């Protein structure tokens, strides 16, 4: 079985995902993806007909983010027309899954050169959500209005689930705010020290002028006091009734003794941003034939499902599964990345696996930097690889929760 080598990782800076307020909101999602694809090609002097697939993740595939972002972005990037492309959806986990699929194709011997990653413009996603609001907020119904599925597996909004999990686990808001503050501090340090510079590529407008060349979302001025002053975001949502059933009722149908109040807010939840990221993968034979220098390799990947009603608890079993598949223990991992979709996800992950906090999300996470859903997994893989090189360490494990109670996971090893 061939190795799946990571040759390079590239991503855009993350722009604020609010129409008219973010530096990227006026651009087409394909433009962000093409920026990343072009950078990977140019930085590695690729002969684009050699690229056998572009495997791309976009969660909300409608309108501008529909019609196969992977293929269309490859064409926009100027790749040879023989380069195929596909776009997948595993909600928040799609970026990791795209890389896992690419690695599997290479390791099986079917392909030799693949770019995998994702794009999400949350500014555009939110525009669509506002348009749908007049139709009864259908985006809150994770069962897509299927009453039979709702009866079998009630699914609420992720923010409501985060609050419920915090109550179930006995994690107080003070601990969640402390983690959010630490995320901001670590991200600020990473930016000032240039820890992201190797992967970040600037985004230019269609006319060639600069659109964004730095992270736009972080708020380094954040304090514990300012976090403590923020109002919970999801209390009203929990009691919102869709087809006569509130989101709170949905969860209590499965967990009847569980009651809770809001503890998550804008400061300890992931930021709404626009962005794209890609990972260049190659087989050993392609590396040797073309003189490429691998930066890392894919050790193992895994996916798992968990309770779809609480929705956000799969990262721990996913991490355990990928460690077992790799024949490793947590002591074999130097750095951990668990997406900060909500503070409780990362906090529970650290507690359940009894991890050293100094090894988890060392450069901050989505609470400080933002979460462009389909792209985040690929961003985190690149972040870990950059940091392993900076620290002269060996292995990292990356995982993240995904809607409907899933989580993918991947272990990467520096070469």
């Amino acid at each position: 079985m061939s190795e799946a080598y990571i040759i390079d990782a590239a991503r855009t800076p993350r722009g604020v995902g609010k129409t008219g307020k973010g530096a990227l909101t006026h651009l087409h999602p394909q433009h962000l993806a093409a920026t990343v694809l072009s950078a990977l090609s140019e930085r590695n002097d690729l002969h684009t007909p050699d690229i056998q697939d572009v495997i791309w993740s976009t969660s909300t595939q409608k309108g501008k983010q529909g019609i196969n972002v992977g293929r269309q972005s490859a064409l926009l990037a100027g790749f040879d027309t023989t380069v195929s492309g596909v776009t997948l959806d595993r909600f928040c986990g799609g970026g990791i899954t795209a890389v896992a699929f690419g690695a599997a194709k290479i390791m099986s011997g079917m392909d030799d050169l693949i770019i995998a990653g994702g794009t999400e413009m949350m500014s555009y996603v939110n525009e669509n959500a506002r348009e749908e609001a007049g139709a009864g907020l259908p985006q809150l119904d994770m069962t897509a209005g299927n009453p039979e599925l709702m009866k079998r597996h009630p699914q609420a909004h992720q923010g409501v689930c985060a609050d419920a999990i915090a109550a179930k686990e006995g994690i107080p808001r003070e601990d969640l705010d402390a983690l959010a503050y630490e995320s901001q501090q670590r991200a600020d340090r990473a930016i000032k020290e240039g820890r992201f510079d190797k992967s970040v590529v600037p985004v230019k407008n269609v006319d060639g002028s600069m659109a964004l060349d730095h992270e736009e979302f972080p708020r380094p001025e954040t304090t514990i006091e300012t976090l403590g002053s923020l109002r919970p975001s999801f209390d009203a949502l929990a009691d919102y009734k869709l087809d006569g059933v509130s989101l709170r009722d949905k969860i209590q149908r499965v967990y009847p003794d569980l009651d809770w109040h809001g503890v998550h807010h804008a400061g300890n939840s992931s930021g709404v941003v626009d962005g794209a990221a890609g990972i260049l993968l190659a087989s050993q034979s392609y590396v040797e034939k073309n003189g490429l220098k691998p930066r890392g390799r894919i050790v193992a990947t895994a996916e798992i499902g968990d309770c779809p009603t609480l929705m956000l608890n799969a990262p721990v079993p996913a991490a355990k599964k990928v460690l077992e598949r790799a024949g490793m223990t947590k002591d074999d991992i130097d750095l951990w990345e668990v997406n900060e979709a909500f503070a409780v996800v990362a906090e529970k992950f650290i507690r359940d696996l009894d991890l050293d906090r100094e090894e988890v999300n060392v450069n901050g996470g989505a609470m400080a930097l933002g979460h462009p859903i389909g792209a985040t997994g690929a961003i985190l893989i690149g972040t870990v690889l950059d940091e392993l090189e900076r620290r002269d360490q060996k292995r990292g494990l990356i995982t993240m929760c995904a809607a409907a109670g899933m989580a993918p996971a991947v272990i990467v090893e520096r070469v």
Side-chain angles (χ1 to χ4, degrees):
M1 187 168 64
S2 173
E3 295 283 7
Y5 285 118
I6 301 174
I7 307 303
D8 200 4
R11 68 173 178 87
T12 68
R14 281 161 279 196
V16 170
K18 294 183 179 180
T19 303
K21 295 183 179 180
L24 302 177
T25 61
H26 64 290
L27 296 171
H28 198 288
Q30 295 168 9
H31 184 90
L32 298 192
T35 296
V36 171
L37 294 174
S38 296
L40 288 170
S41 177
E42 293 166 5
R43 285 170 21 161
N44 296 281
D45 195 23
L46 297 182
H47 179 55
T48 64
D50 289 351
I51 301 170
Q52 289 158 315
D53 212 355
V54 172
I55 305 176
W56 218 244
S57 161
T58 301
S59 185
T60 301
Q61 296 182 30
K62 61 171 62 177
K64 294 179 182 179
Q65 290 198 160
I67 320 178
N68 194 348
V69 177
R71 167 63 171 174
Q72 307 291 23
S73 300
L75 293 173
L76 186 61
F79 284 12
D80 191 87
T81 56
T82 59
V83 180
S84 185
V86 65
T87 304
L88 59 86
D89 174 16
R90 200 193 291 275
F91 304 114
C92 299
I96 292 178
T97 295
V99 174
F101 283 3
K105 292 181 74 177
I106 288 173
M107 295 169 81
S108 70
M110 297 297 290
D111 285 328
D112 288 299
L113 190 67
I114 286 175
I115 299 178
T119 303
E120 202 85 38
M121 293 194 70
M122 296 303 294
S123 57
Y124 181 68
V125 172
N126 287 339
E127 281 182 11
N128 277 278
R130 281 192 293 272
E131 290 174 5
E132 293 177 347
L137 296 175
Q139 73 273 16
L140 299 182
D141 184 4
M142 290 298 299
T143 65
N146 184 341
E148 292 305 311
L149 178 56
M150 199 279 283
K151 290 177 185 177
R152 186 172 298 180
H153 294 295
Q155 298 172 44
H157 184 277
Q158 292 94 323
V160 177
C161 294
D163 285 344
I165 291 169
K168 185 174 184 293
E169 299 295 323
I171 300 175
R173 172 169 168 167
E174 291 77 14
D175 290 0
L176 303 177
D177 284 355
L179 192 68
Y181 173 75
E182 185 64 28
S183 183
Q184 291 284 354
Q185 295 300 300
R186 290 181 177 186
D188 186 46
R189 180 176 64 243
I191 291 168
K192 288 177 178 176
E193 294 181 1
R195 297 187 186 184
F196 301 140
D197 291 355
K198 192 168 187 175
S199 289
V200 173
V201 294
V203 179
K204 294 184 178 179
N205 293 309
V206 176
D207 65 6
S209 61
M210 185 61 66
L212 185 65
D213 62 358
H214 63 279
E215 297 288 350
E216 192 176 32
F217 187 79
R219 300 176 296 277
E221 70 280 3
T222 298
T223 65
I224 290 292
E225 289 72 27
T226 58
L227 289 169
S229 69
L230 296 175
R231 295 179 61 185
S233 298
F234 306 108
D235 274 343
L237 204 56
D239 295 317
Y240 181 86
K241 290 189 176 181
L242 189 66
D243 296 328
V245 181
S246 74
L247 302 187
R248 189 182 301 274
D249 289 340
K250 285 186 175 186
I251 293 176
Q252 289 178 330
R253 285 186 180 184
V254 181
Y255 299 91
D257 296 327
L258 183 59
D259 196 12
W260 67 92
H261 62 275
V263 291
H264 287 88
H265 48 75
N268 62 20
S269 304
S270 55
V272 177
V273 296
D274 301 330
I279 305 293
L280 177 61
L281 301 165
S283 68
Q284 184 169 346
S285 61
Y286 191 88
V287 164
E288 293 172 352
K289 181 179 178 181
N290 292 275
L292 297 178
K293 185 178 180 181
R295 296 176 57 196
R297 71 181 186 95
I298 304 296
V299 176
T301 68
E303 300 80 26
I304 203 164
D306 199 83
C307 172
T309 299
L310 287 182
M311 202 174 297
L312 309 177
N313 284 336
V316 170
K320 291 179 178 179
K321 183 176 180 179
V322 78
L323 285 169
E324 181 180 4
R325 183 165 287 175
M328 296 179 180
T329 71
K330 68 177 186 178
D331 295 332
D332 294 306
I333 303 301
D334 299 300
L335 295 174
W336 305 76
E337 283 285 336
V338 55
N339 185 44
E340 295 174 350
F342 301 92
V344 74
V345 176
E347 183 65 25
K348 184 177 186 300
F349 188 82
I350 292 169
R351 294 183 183 200
D352 285 3
L353 293 175
D354 191 24
L355 300 179
D356 182 346
R357 291 178 180 271
E358 296 303 312
E359 297 175 355
V360 183
N361 297 356
V362 297
N363 290 327
M367 291 186 288
L369 294 158
H371 175 25
I373 294 175
T376 302
I379 290 175
L380 297 184
I381 291 171
T383 296
V384 165
L385 186 58
D386 288 347
E387 191 63 15
L388 288 171
E389 290 174 342
R390 195 186 74 83
R391 295 179 177 223
D392 193 23
Q393 292 179 320
K394 192 170 186 179
R395 296 189 192 96
L397 190 153
I398 305 98
T399 187
M400 57 203 308
C401 60
M406 300 183 290
V410 60
I411 295 173
V412 300
E413 183 175 274
R414 186 170 66 91
V415 174

